[in-house]
Every structure is written in C-alpha cells, then in structure tokens.
Amino acid sequence: MIIAITAFALPKPITHGEARSIFLSTAPTYQDVPGLLRKHYLLSEDGATAGGVYEWNSRADAEAMYTPAWRAFVRKKYGAEPTVNYFDSPVMVDNVAQKVFTY
C-alpha cells in the first residue's frame, strides 16, 4: 500500500466550517478513482495549511492522480502549490475492524 500526503499553505487561514464546505465540494472528484482506497482531507489547527492523506493500491495509481492538471486544479481552488510525498505502508493497524493488515 502507498500513502501519499499532500499539503499546501493557504493564502489566508480558513475555519473548520469553511474547510468542510470546500472539501465537500471536491470530494466527488475522488470517488471511483482507480486504485484510491481512501482520502482524508486535512486542515492544520491554525487553518493555514490544508492537504490530504491518500491510501493507494500502488505508486503507479497514485502518480496517475498527481498530474500537472491536478496541480493546476489545486492552485486554482486553493491559491497554493501542493507538495506530494509518498510512503510505503507495509503494515496497518485497523482498530475498527480489530485487525492488523500487511501489504
């Protein structure tokens, strides 16, 4: 499993409510994306940084998302250049399912 973490500094801080509204407006974009298992939207406590944690089946699936068009979308929507960092996740603890998964 690949974890990708995106982040970008916002031009001005936003509130939790503003973030929720903005994030809900883009959430449908991420439904049914090949290889994307989950996406968690992120907002820093001070509201100055936003981003996401994505769980992917593979690095190739993740890289297919973070294209120049995706970067342009983020710049237009949030007014900031995103960073993307990739991590291999060989083990996951799921306390809801009460299981430990290996990949």
Side-chain angles (χ1 to χ4, degrees):
M1 176 185 296
I2 297 297
I3 303 295
I5 300 176
T6 65
F8 42 92
L10 298 168
K12 65 178 186 118
I14 60 176
T15 67
H16 174 91
E18 290 168 325
R20 186 175 187 275
S21 178
I22 294 166
F23 296 162
L24 283 172
S25 76
T26 65
T29 305
Y30 297 96
Q31 292 181 303
D32 301 320
V33 170
L36 179 61
L37 303 174
R38 289 177 189 82
K39 177 183 178 180
H40 299 264
Y41 285 86
L42 303 175
L43 180 66
S44 62
E45 287 187 25
D46 65 3
T49 304
V53 175
Y54 301 73
E55 295 178 29
W56 294 97
N57 276 327
S58 70
R59 173 81 181 239
D61 289 332
E63 288 176 344
M65 168 62 73
Y66 309 119
T67 63
W70 177 84
R71 290 178 180 280
F73 168 78
V74 171
R75 280 192 306 273
K76 183 177 180 184
K77 184 77 174 174
Y78 299 100
E81 183 67 34
T83 61
V84 180
N85 292 293
Y86 298 96
F87 300 88
D88 181 28
S89 178
V91 177
M92 179 184 73
V93 176
D94 185 330
N95 286 331
V96 175
Q98 300 269 315
K99 293 182 180 183
V100 174
F101 296 92
T102 62
Y103 307 96

